Amino acid sequence: MANSPDSSNTTPAAADAPKRGLFSRKPKEAKVKKPSRLKQIGEVFNMTRRHDPMVPWLMLLVFLGVVAVSLLVGFLLENWITALLIGIPLGLLGATLILSRRAERAAFAQIENQPGASGAALGTLKRGWITEDQPVAVNPRTQDAVFRAIGRPGVVLVSEGPTHRVKPLVEAERKRLARILPNVTIHVIESGRGEGQVPISQVAKKMGKLNKELTKLEVSAVSKRISSLGTRLPIPKGIDPYKARPNRGR
């Protein structure tokens, strides 16, 4: 007697699987649990303390200072309990701001002198800027690079590398942009610790102080104009210079 199709096609895995009813719900997939906010703050604090051992004392000093001032005002107003309830959250806020500033410095200290550090600095810009993750010009041998940002001040080229070495890359990109954007100001900022250069932690701040010359619509038009012409890197097509960099163990 021949076996029925159902019995011949049944596998051990299928036999062990729980059967679902007609109206039963599909089992939910396990969600990846994200770290809590307190855990994230703890990780930032530990990272910052490794590079800046003074940060716990500065945070404590700010917290106690804010609470002390609040209590002093509360005693003068003869309502120290309310002043304390207000002072504690303000003290925590002040300590958090100190941690945020010091954490940013520590993060920049970790990536300084590494390829792509200037691009990471552009990632801290406020809204209103159009940036690119990849450099617009790069020397694969020396890893000198030029990054670009477009904003209301115009086009900003941020170089990465010694001045004498990266200058030809900057000038070539500046001349190319000047041909297609004759009425747009092109700024050049050299990042680094050399003479006339700007530390990467100060690049975004320096860009924020540039005079605004374009409207938001003009910024969008300039970005589309540049994108339509593409980016020509001086490297073979399909090669990422950052994947080819030597292992350093940004």
Side-chain angles (χ1 to χ4, degrees):
M1 183 177 181
N3 293 332
S4 64
D6 292 340
S7 60
S8 61
N9 294 332
T10 302
T11 62
D16 295 339
K19 295 182 179 180
R20 292 175 53 197
L22 182 61
F23 300 102
S24 61
R25 294 182 179 180
K26 184 179 180 180
K28 296 182 179 180
E29 297 180 357
K31 294 183 179 180
V32 179
K33 190 175 182 180
K34 296 181 179 180
S36 63
R37 181 61 61 89
L38 290 177
K39 186 176 181 179
Q40 292 177 353
I41 294 176
E43 292 175 353
V44 172
F45 176 79
N46 291 331
M47 182 273 293
T48 307
R49 185 175 57 177
R50 287 195 297 268
H51 293 82
D52 188 358
M54 289 297 297
V55 69
W57 302 107
L58 290 174
M59 293 174 63
L60 181 61
L61 181 63
V62 169
F63 174 78
L64 294 178
V66 172
V67 173
V69 172
S70 300
L71 283 176
L72 179 61
V73 174
F75 281 123
L76 293 177
L77 299 178
E78 297 181 353
N79 192 356
W80 66 272
I81 296 179
T82 302
L84 183 62
L85 294 176
I86 297 175
I88 290 177
L90 290 178
L92 291 174
L93 177 61
T96 304
L97 291 176
I98 292 295
L99 176 61
S100 177
R101 294 286 183 88
R102 295 283 175 161
E104 184 176 340
R105 292 184 185 181
F108 279 123
Q110 285 185 334
I111 65 175
E112 194 169 10
N113 298 325
Q114 294 185 13
S118 299
L122 295 182
T124 63
L125 289 170
K126 297 181 180 179
R127 295 179 59 184
W129 289 92
I130 300 175
T131 61
E132 300 178 17
D133 296 333
Q134 299 296 328
V136 295
V138 64
N139 186 330
R141 183 176 62 85
T142 62
Q143 297 185 4
D144 298 335
V146 179
F147 292 86
R148 182 177 63 214
I150 306 169
R152 295 191 61 186
V155 179
V156 181
L157 299 178
V158 181
S159 66
E160 182 177 281
T163 302
H164 68 279
R165 232 169 44 195
V166 76
K167 188 175 181 180
L169 289 177
V170 175
E171 287 300 315
E173 182 63 18
R174 187 183 64 79
K175 290 179 180 179
R176 186 176 80 94
L177 293 175
R179 286 196 299 268
I180 62 177
L181 303 169
N183 299 321
V184 178
T185 304
I186 301 173
H187 306 271
V188 176
I189 297 178
E190 296 185 13
S191 67
R193 292 286 182 177
E195 185 178 356
Q197 294 184 331
V198 180
I200 59 172
S201 60
Q202 299 297 320
V203 168
K205 184 177 180 180
K206 184 175 181 62
M207 293 173 63
K209 292 182 178 180
L210 297 175
N211 296 328
K212 296 178 175 60
E213 301 178 4
L214 304 177
T215 64
K216 293 182 179 179
L217 292 178
E218 289 172 337
V219 171
S220 179
V222 169
S223 177
K224 291 179 180 178
R225 173 65 174 166
I226 296 176
S227 299
S228 65
L229 298 177
T231 301
R232 295 174 297 177
L233 293 177
I235 55 177
K237 186 177 180 181
I239 295 179
D240 186 350
Y242 293 116
K243 292 182 179 179
R245 65 174 182 250
N247 186 6
R248 295 186 300 273
R250 279 176 345 353

